[in-house]
Amino acid sequence: MTEYEGCYVFTPDEADIVSQRPWKLRKTEPAKAPADQNRELPFAPLLKGLEKLESTRIRSEMFELAWRPKETLLKRIHDDASSETVKEVASFVKSADPAESNGKLRTGLLVTGPDNSTTVSLFESIAEIANLESRTVLVIMNSGQSPNLKTALKYINQRAASRNLDSQDDAIFDDAKDGRRLNYDLQILSDYVQSHSVDKLLLSFQDSEAFEGKCLTDIVHVLSSWSDRIPFVLLFGIATSVEIFQEKLSREAIRYLDGSAFHVQQVDVENIFKAFQSEQPTVWVGPELSRMILQRQKNYMQSRSTFVSSLKYAYMTHFFANPLSIFLNTTQSLASSQTEHYEAVRNLPSFRRYAQTLIDRKEYETLRTLLDDNDSLGDLVVQELQPGKKALLAIVGAVNVLFRIQTSLTLRTQTPWSEMYIRAMCAELAEFAAFEEIMASVKELPSDIMADLLDDLAGMSVPYELAEIMVELNRLTDHLEGPKIPLRSAYDVHHETLRTTVVAQKVSLSKNTSTLSMQDSAYTKIVDRIYTTIFSYFETTLINPQDLLLNEILIFESKSPHREVFTPKPRFAIERALGSPHDYLGCDCCGGSEGGLSATQPATAIMYQLYLESGAVINTADLWSAFWTIVGGDGIEDEEAEQQRALVLFSRALAELKYLGMIKNSRKKADHLAKLSWKGL
């Protein structure tokens, strides 16, 4: 190794490897489950490779069929939220006239907020609408494709020419290939605009704040000099605010822009979750998993696309990791099921409770048939899944009814739909304080608001008795004489008055109820019937989903896959691997050390243990001495050769710790290392 070379790679021969250091055996047995997950899953034999390929193919197709309507629904929600903004921006693009620009670039500033996941589709929708009345070419740019001015201009030329408006082969870059023109010369783009009669060239900067300020300023300068020959229209996607975006540009560049701001309406996560769980559900996301997904969205301000991805991952996990989901397709489940499927069903907690119920009823023959005959068990699965789906749909419908009632009330705090859903799936909604407050406020509604509420509930899954009560309410209000003053029940605060009395120089307050009119008394009876009917509806519908037979097939509640995928802990994994290498290697030599240092452990693991025992500044010589004491020792025949090999392992371990960001060279002392991280922080 010469002094001008930075490093070299040491690859020892097999004969040079220390014979006393045994080979590490790769762990082939399945890892042990944590203490809280020692209970084997009922479908564990299926997950070990006993399931047929035909069954896995069917479950994959079932997932596609289940997710396709959800994807269409979510796209419709996003399109509806941004439809007004798209029309406004498209009208702005179409109204841009280069002849009236006065040397300025027409610029649209789209304030999308922190969630810019749908910015590309938003720009494409704008260009599609603008292209209906004029020939518009869209070029979407981002910071990664435009690190400097030349690269940005080259990208604009290439992307604009790829939009073949006349379905003919273009030779626009022939001159550039021959060397007569540079590929970033905008004269190429000018010739393309004239030859294809392009009316608008729409440049959309998706992540404008990620562009370097100088690069963005230079792009604006160059584009403004060509604005009389190329009809540029600029669109900037802004995640923060217009004021912060202006700080990136110079004052001269701002003078070249004729801008208008547009605020893109963001889709509320509550609306996405409500639509996802209410419309065309195939699998219901469990309460604990729903709470975890919503809480992560609230804490980390993730994008809407990440939230949708978490819901999609729940569907994928249920269909791909739970073989029993094959029973959701009743037409193919019995034909494609196998013995292991039925054994897994018999081990479900809900089936065990059902078996105990049969024992309590002394229906021993029925239970014996279900335990021995797979066909009888398959018939039971198909028979019970449909009532389970109806019960879960009824629970979600009850949540929608309660949420609609809440919107008719003037409460101080409005409970989100997701909170109602989570409590309903936990069988806690009927005891929820907000539920009692909402039901108590129903009695205080005046007749006009009550009529609107009953009219809205008529199209929902509510008892038929409410329609009859609404007819009586309309008949009562139609017979009112004089101005249409709404009726009020006896529970309304307008019928209560405060009376003040003074006794022995002490003031006391008391409530008095005024006398009700005949119409108000009749309306009070109607309100009592409405309250009783709605309360009975909730009492009957809001059952515990865990009591449903085979609810494990309909409800997905596993949180561990989501926690590992969407909230990974790479630092914890690295610390565990270096601190307890036996957990990953599975060898007896490392496991016998009982957490202490051993020469059989990997060199990096040994260095990490010594690293933890050191202070903020580590003496390299002392570290080497401690390392050699562990891996070397007395009684070695060729101690010098062994020490050289250990020094190689020591250097490699230090390099790996430095690569992981745990140490760096100390500025104070050349032979010392500075500690950068501590375990558990």
Side-chain angles (χ1 to χ4, degrees), residues 450-451 454-455 457-458 462-477 522 525-527 529-530 533:
M450 182 67 77
L454 295 179
D455 189 32
L457 296 182
V462 293
Y464 178 74
E465 292 80 0
L466 288 180
E468 300 177 354
I469 298 175
M470 185 176 181
V471 174
E472 298 181 12
L473 178 60
N474 293 334
R475 188 182 303 116
L476 177 63
T477 54
K525 296 179 181 180
I526 293 177
V527 168
R529 292 177 57 190
I530 294 173
T533 304

Side-chain angles (χ1 to χ4, degrees), residues 439-579:
M439 294 303 299
S441 301
V442 170
K443 295 183 176 181
E444 302 176 0
L445 291 177
S447 60
D448 53 348
I449 300 179
M450 182 67 77
D452 295 337
L453 176 61
L454 295 179
D455 189 32
D456 292 339
L457 296 182
M460 306 179 73
S461 56
V462 293
Y464 178 74
E465 292 80 0
L466 288 180
E468 300 177 354
I469 298 175
M470 185 176 181
V471 174
E472 298 181 12
L473 178 60
N474 293 334
R475 188 182 303 116
L476 177 63
T477 54
D478 291 341
H479 287 80
L480 292 177
E481 298 179 357
K484 294 292 184 178
I485 300 177
L487 300 176
R488 298 185 181 275
S489 65
Y491 308 101
D492 198 297
V493 294
H494 289 78
H495 292 293
E496 294 181 355
T497 59
L498 292 177
R499 181 179 179 181
T500 305
T501 57
V502 180
V503 178
Q505 297 182 352
K506 293 183 179 180
V507 179
S508 61
L509 298 176
S510 60
K511 290 184 178 181
N512 292 332
T513 303
S514 59
T515 304
L516 299 178
S517 62
M518 294 180 58
Q519 291 84 356
D520 289 342
S521 298
Y523 177 65
T524 301
K525 296 179 181 180
I526 293 177
V527 168
D528 290 336
R529 292 177 57 190
I530 294 173
Y531 177 84
T532 304
T533 304
I534 295 178
F535 190 83
S536 300
Y537 162 73
F538 285 129
E539 191 176 24
T540 306
T541 307
L542 295 176
I543 63 175
N544 189 356
Q546 302 300 323
D547 295 338
L548 297 174
L549 181 59
L550 307 177
N551 65 83
E552 296 87 352
I553 302 178
L554 299 172
I555 303 174
F556 178 73
E557 183 66 336
S558 181
K559 296 187 296 183
S560 57
H562 270 71
R563 187 180 293 110
E564 294 175 0
V565 172
F566 291 94
T567 55
K569 299 178 180 179
R571 175 166 180 167
F572 171 77
I574 293 174
E575 291 178 350
R576 180 183 175 186
L578 295 177

Side-chain angles (χ1 to χ4, degrees), residues 278 391-403 417 460-462 537-538 541:
S278 300
L392 292 174
L393 286 173
I395 292 175
V396 177
V399 174
N400 291 331
V401 170
L402 184 63
F403 188 76
W417 189 93
M460 306 179 73
S461 56
V462 293
Y537 162 73
F538 285 129
T541 307

Side-chain angles (χ1 to χ4, degrees), residues 380-397:
L380 176 67
V381 170
V382 176
Q383 178 183 352
E384 292 294 331
L385 282 180
Q386 196 63 27
K389 292 180 180 179
K390 292 182 179 179
L392 292 174
L393 286 173
I395 292 175
V396 177

Side-chain angles (χ1 to χ4, degrees), residues 208-499:
S208 58
E209 285 142 329
F211 279 82
E212 186 180 355
K214 184 178 184 303
C215 178
L216 200 60
T217 299
D218 294 340
I219 293 175
V220 172
H221 278 269
V222 175
L223 296 182
S224 63
S225 63
W226 286 86
S227 60
D228 56 340
R229 288 156 287 179
I230 304 176
F232 286 115
V233 178
L234 309 184
L235 291 180
F236 291 98
I238 301 175
T240 53
S241 64
V242 178
E243 291 76 11
I244 296 178
F245 171 72
Q246 289 180 353
E247 294 179 358
K248 296 179 65 67
L249 302 176
S250 63
R251 294 184 179 180
E252 185 179 1
I254 294 176
R255 287 196 294 266
Y256 291 140
L257 301 179
D258 181 13
S260 299
F262 303 92
H263 293 269
V264 181
Q265 182 180 359
Q266 296 292 329
V267 181
D268 191 8
V269 172
E270 285 290 328
N271 295 335
I272 297 177
F273 187 75
K274 179 182 178 181
F276 189 88
Q277 297 292 80
S278 300
E279 300 185 22
Q280 300 178 348
T282 304
V283 176
W284 284 262
V285 182
E288 296 301 327
L289 178 59
S290 300
R291 182 180 286 112
M292 186 185 73
I293 294 175
L294 292 168
Q295 188 66 30
R296 185 177 65 245
Q297 180 73 21
K298 178 181 178 181
N299 293 341
Y300 299 103
M301 292 294 293
Q302 295 177 337
S303 64
R304 305 300 187 270
S305 60
T306 305
F307 180 75
V308 173
S309 298
S310 63
L311 296 176
K312 184 177 182 179
Y313 186 77
Y315 262 58
M316 293 176 62
T317 308
H318 185 73
F319 281 101
F320 294 156
N322 183 4
L324 297 183
S325 60
I326 193 175
F327 289 110
L328 291 173
N329 189 343
T330 56
T331 58
Q332 297 181 356
S333 60
L334 298 181
S336 304
S337 57
Q338 53 193 95
T339 305
E340 288 79 9
H341 285 110
Y342 296 108
E343 290 299 326
V345 171
R346 293 186 179 100
N347 285 276
L348 291 177
S350 61
F351 182 83
R352 293 187 177 186
R353 291 193 298 267
Y354 178 72
Q356 185 63 41
T357 303
L358 294 179
I359 293 175
D360 297 339
R361 296 176 183 173
K362 298 183 179 180
E363 299 179 8
Y364 306 115
E365 294 297 331
T366 303
L367 178 58
R368 174 58 60 186
T369 303
L370 295 177
L371 294 178
D372 296 338
D373 187 9
N374 291 337
D375 295 335
S376 300
L377 181 60
D379 296 338
L380 176 67
V381 170
V382 176
Q383 178 183 352
E384 292 294 331
L385 282 180
Q386 196 63 27
K389 292 180 180 179
K390 292 182 179 179
L392 292 174
L393 286 173
I395 292 175
V396 177
V399 174
N400 291 331
V401 170
L402 184 63
F403 188 76
R404 174 61 188 87
I405 295 175
Q406 180 183 240
T407 56
S408 303
L409 307 175
T410 56
L411 301 178
R412 293 183 177 179
T413 57
Q414 297 285 330
T415 304
W417 189 93
S418 59
E419 181 67 21
M420 292 184 179
Y421 170 81
I422 292 173
R423 291 189 176 274
M425 295 296 286
C426 293
E428 300 175 355
L429 185 58
E431 291 79 19
F432 190 31
F435 175 81
E436 299 177 356
E437 183 181 2
I438 292 172
M439 294 303 299
S441 301
V442 170
K443 295 183 176 181
E444 302 176 0
L445 291 177
S447 60
D448 53 348
I449 300 179
M450 182 67 77
D452 295 337
L453 176 61
L454 295 179
D455 189 32
D456 292 339
L457 296 182
M460 306 179 73
S461 56
V462 293
Y464 178 74
E465 292 80 0
L466 288 180
E468 300 177 354
I469 298 175
M470 185 176 181
V471 174
E472 298 181 12
L473 178 60
N474 293 334
R475 188 182 303 116
L476 177 63
T477 54
D478 291 341
H479 287 80
L480 292 177
E481 298 179 357
K484 294 292 184 178
I485 300 177
L487 300 176
R488 298 185 181 275
S489 65
Y491 308 101
D492 198 297
V493 294
H494 289 78
H495 292 293
E496 294 181 355
T497 59
L498 292 177
R499 181 179 179 181

Side-chain angles (χ1 to χ4, degrees), residues 37-49:
Q37 297 180 359
N38 287 331
R39 183 176 60 85
E40 188 176 11
L41 296 175
F43 43 83
L46 293 170
L47 294 178
K48 292 180 181 178

